[in-house]
Amino acid sequence: MTETATSSAPPGKRMLSEQVYARLRNAIMRGDYAPGEPLKPQDLAKEQGVSLAVVREALVRVVGDGLADRLHNRGFAVPAYSDQRWQEIAEARRTIEPVILRMSVERGDVDWEARVRAAHHRLARTPAYTPEEGKYYSEAWSEAHRVFHRTLLEGCGNAVLLESFDRLWTASELTRRWAAHRDPGRDGADEHRRLEEAALARDADTAAAVLARHLTLTATALTDPARRP
């Protein structure tokens, strides 16, 4: 559904569609739906007490976020672990982000150093899980995580590269949550600490290597059959 089409809908329908979209998006992020599970418009409409048209509009938006697939003649479904796009996104991130981080380490000023330290402190002090938000990362931790990674790269001073990071980060948000659940023994806190230390030590080689490994571990958690949810 395009923005123009959505904005031309009656206000009441727009509000309902927004509410259904938000609930559906949050449910997928919480892990209420398993990877590959169908998202049946008729069932969702009945559960939420809205029309089929409202549900379909919300589903199209969720597809646009990369949180669901529109299947040919088979409706909608949560993406599967095996979806090739996750590995393509991971490859893109491993190719781009270490390069940006290297630039950031080389160009960042003292203010950038202070922001990196503050962002890491917030990330380290924010609980990754809360009982009310399901089995995946909490919203507060996810945002602190995003801010830390973006702040690391902001020293590059290149807005176009940072926009590329923003797009890839959004596209990989769901897989990040899945990967953590499939690899609960992973010490992400140590990986983030090492990233901060290497960046602030102005060790571009180590920082880039640590980040590349950090991204690789996330992708591997989705493809390794030994790691079950």
Side-chain angles (χ1 to χ4, degrees), residues 163-176:
E163 288 171 4
S164 297
F165 164 81
D166 290 338
R167 287 193 297 272
L168 288 170
W169 185 271
T170 299
S172 59
E173 177 62 21
L174 184 57
T175 56
R176 231 179 339 270

Side-chain angles (χ1 to χ4, degrees), residues 84-125:
Q84 184 180 354
R85 93 180 79 168
W86 307 134
Q87 299 309 313
E88 291 174 348
I89 292 170
E91 182 179 53
R93 292 189 65 193
R94 286 195 302 268
T95 301
I96 296 171
E97 291 181 34
V99 174
I100 304 175
L101 179 56
R102 183 180 294 278
M103 294 169 60
S104 195
V105 169
E106 293 170 351
R107 298 177 181 180
D109 57 15
V110 173
D111 287 340
W112 167 77
E113 291 182 0
R115 293 198 305 274
V116 169
R117 192 173 295 279
H120 180 258
H121 179 76
R122 178 174 295 278
L123 176 62
R125 294 300 182 93

Side-chain angles (χ1 to χ4, degrees), residues 93 97 119 122-123 137-154 162 165-170 172-173 176-177 192 214:
R93 292 189 65 193
E97 291 181 34
R122 178 174 295 278
L123 176 62
Y137 288 134
S138 70
E139 288 297 328
W141 188 91
S142 294
E143 177 60 11
H145 187 218
R146 183 194 69 81
V147 169
F148 172 65
H149 275 270
R150 196 183 198 281
T151 303
L152 280 170
L153 306 186
E154 286 175 350
L162 291 173
F165 164 81
D166 290 338
R167 287 193 297 272
L168 288 170
W169 185 271
T170 299
S172 59
E173 177 62 21
R176 231 179 339 270
R177 299 187 183 208
H192 293 136
H214 184 66

